[in-house]
Amino acid sequence: QVQLVESGGGLVQPGGSLRLSCAAEGNIHSVNAMGWYRQAPGEQRELVAAIMNGGSANYADSVKGRFTISKDNAKNTVYLQMNSLKPEDTAAYYCNAGIFVSITRYGSYWGRGTQVTVSS
């Protein structure tokens, strides 16, 4: 059994910062890429940022220069530092990870989501 445990969402004023965390827990052989997606009401889920085991990362154009994704491989944990937040960043943020539960069994797992609201 594998689960992704997210934390760090909340309410913040425009221009403020938040840091999201997501830890992969359970029967894990190894973790591949990890990332963050978001979904606003009435919108499709979109990729925010993703990071590979080697540290290479990619970002949505809308967050480049404001958000930074990082990963602690020893803890199977991914972080998303969000700075200069804008009202349009308001959404439910979901963690995603590609996980090997054995040498041959691989799956994509999702967290339950954490709400980020940017409002004055």
Side-chain angles (χ1 to χ4, degrees), residues 55-75:
S56 61
N58 59 285
Y59 297 89
D61 287 343
S62 59
V63 306
K64 283 180 181 176
R66 300 188 298 122
F67 291 10
T68 302
I69 190 169
S70 60
K71 187 167 175 276
D72 186 332
N73 291 328
K75 295 181 179 180

Side-chain angles (χ1 to χ4, degrees), residues 2-120:
V2 173
Q3 61 176 349
L4 301 183
V5 180
E6 300 147 328
S7 62
L11 173 65
V12 64
Q13 292 186 342
S17 298
L18 283 174
R19 188 191 194 212
L20 305 183
S21 300
C22 170
E25 300 178 350
N27 184 25
I28 296 171
H29 179 269
S30 62
V31 178
N32 195 11
M34 299 185 79
W36 291 94
Y37 289 72
R38 68 186 180 187
Q39 187 169 19
E43 302 289 334
Q44 289 190 336
R45 190 172 296 189
E46 63 174 359
L47 175 69
V48 177
I51 186 167
M52 303 300 292
N53 264 344
S56 61
N58 59 285
Y59 297 89
D61 287 343
S62 59
V63 306
K64 283 180 181 176
R66 300 188 298 122
F67 291 10
T68 302
I69 190 169
S70 60
K71 187 167 175 276
D72 186 332
N73 291 328
K75 295 181 179 180
N76 292 330
T77 298
V78 65
Y79 306 95
L80 185 68
Q81 178 65 43
M82 305 185 293
N83 298 328
S84 302
L85 282 160
K86 304 175 181 180
E88 51 262 44
D89 295 318
T90 296
Y93 283 69
Y94 296 89
C95 178
N96 175 262
I99 296 174
F100 284 93
V101 296
S102 70
I103 293 176
T104 57
R105 288 182 59 197
Y106 180 85
S108 179
Y109 295 84
W110 290 91
R112 293 187 175 185
T114 185
Q115 180 66 33
V116 171
T117 302
V118 184
S119 175
S120 55

